[in-house]
Amino acid sequence: EDQVTQSPEALRLQEGESSSLNCSYTVSGLRGLFWYRQDPGKGPEFLFTLYSAGEEKEKERLKATLTKKESFLHITAPKPEDSATYLCAVQAIGGTYKYIFGTGTRLKVLA
Amino acid sequence: AAGVIQSPRHLIKEKRETATLKCYPIPRHDTVYWYQQGPGQDPQFLISFYEKMQSDKGSIPDRFSAQQFSDYHSELNMSSLELGDSALYFCASSAGTDVSYEQYFGPGTRLTVT
């Protein structure tokens, strides 16, 4: 069964304290891995798509990387406005286009 | 830039009532997905449509049905509502079903069943 696990569940950082969020996945075949940011009561906001192992993408203080089993979202020198839940999702090969989400990492950045 | 529009944003219903949620995709997006997110949980896929045809089905109860119309908007119809149906319901749209077409999510409809 296709599965996505994110860790840690929650993370508190001081402003400027860099860290990484993990997304481990088990799928029969990976079509794509997606990172989203979700603020409370709002819809997920698209951040990155990764397709193959070794791929990296960056956007401001965020950098996403992908291996054959997991993805990391690196946050460099975070600011309080980076506080949110970060969701990882995968799309598996096999004729289905749905996203399978992990339970997310709740990030709190303290000023 | 235009985003996915969902209506209503909040809905309160009583048990055994019916509810209809609407989703208006980003212009020129032909694929719509519905997800249900319970409190503190990840979004769970319900159903999707591509070019007005059902393309995939997830954990959608038989009490729910959905369709996509000629203008590509979609409606999720929920009958015999139960307390457990209380959740955030998200609609997402994409420009196609290829993986290169990311899903863009709407703001959600918060359904409360009392």
Side-chain angles (χ1 to χ4, degrees), chain A residues 31-34 36 38 40-46 48-49 51 57 87 91 95-104 106, chain B residues 9 33 35 37 40-45 48 55-58 88 90 97-108 110:
Chain A
R31 182 177 276 140
L33 184 142
F34 310 85
Y36 284 83
Q38 186 175 27
K42 296 188 177 181
E45 176 188 342
F46 171 75
F48 303 109
T49 305
Y51 299 104
K57 289 197 176 170
L87 293 167
Q91 192 180 57
T96 178
Y97 305 103
K98 66 182 181 185
Y99 283 8
I100 301 164
F101 280 90
T103 51
R106 294 190 311 278
Chain B
R9 294 293 312 280
Y33 308 80
Y35 293 85
Q37 187 175 31
Q41 298 180 2
D42 55 298
Q44 293 290 317
F45 172 75
S48 64
S55 56
D56 200 359
K57 195 171 182 180
L88 265 172
F90 291 109
T97 54
D98 188 85
V99 66
S100 62
Y101 299 121
E102 298 89 8
Q103 295 180 22
Y104 291 89
F105 284 75
R110 182 175 295 281

Side-chain angles (χ1 to χ4, degrees), chain B residues 45-106:
Chain B
F45 172 75
L46 293 177
I47 195 167
S48 64
F49 294 87
Y50 168 62
E51 281 291 344
K52 293 154 278 184
M53 300 277 290
Q54 181 181 307
S55 56
D56 200 359
K57 195 171 182 180
S59 50
I60 183 169
D62 292 339
R63 301 177 287 107
F64 294 6
S65 65
Q67 58 182 321
Q68 186 179 31
F69 295 86
S70 57
D71 63 351
Y72 296 103
H73 93 273
S74 179
E75 294 183 5
L76 178 65
N77 298 293
M78 311 160 72
S79 63
S80 302
L81 287 169
E82 302 174 356
L83 295 178
D85 296 329
S86 295
L88 265 172
Y89 289 83
F90 291 109
C91 169
S93 75
S94 64
T97 54
D98 188 85
V99 66
S100 62
Y101 299 121
E102 298 89 8
Q103 295 180 22
Y104 291 89
F105 284 75

Side-chain angles (χ1 to χ4, degrees), chain A residues 47-79:
Chain A
L47 294 174
F48 303 109
T49 305
L50 301 167
Y51 299 104
S52 57
E55 190 173 1
E56 299 182 353
K57 289 197 176 170
E58 280 188 77
K59 179 181 178 180
E60 296 180 352
R61 295 179 293 281
L62 300 176
K63 178 180 177 180
T65 61
L66 180 66
T67 72
K68 288 187 178 179
K69 294 183 179 180
E70 57 191 350
S71 175
F72 292 94
L73 184 65
H74 307 278
I75 303 178
T76 302
K79 298 181 178 181

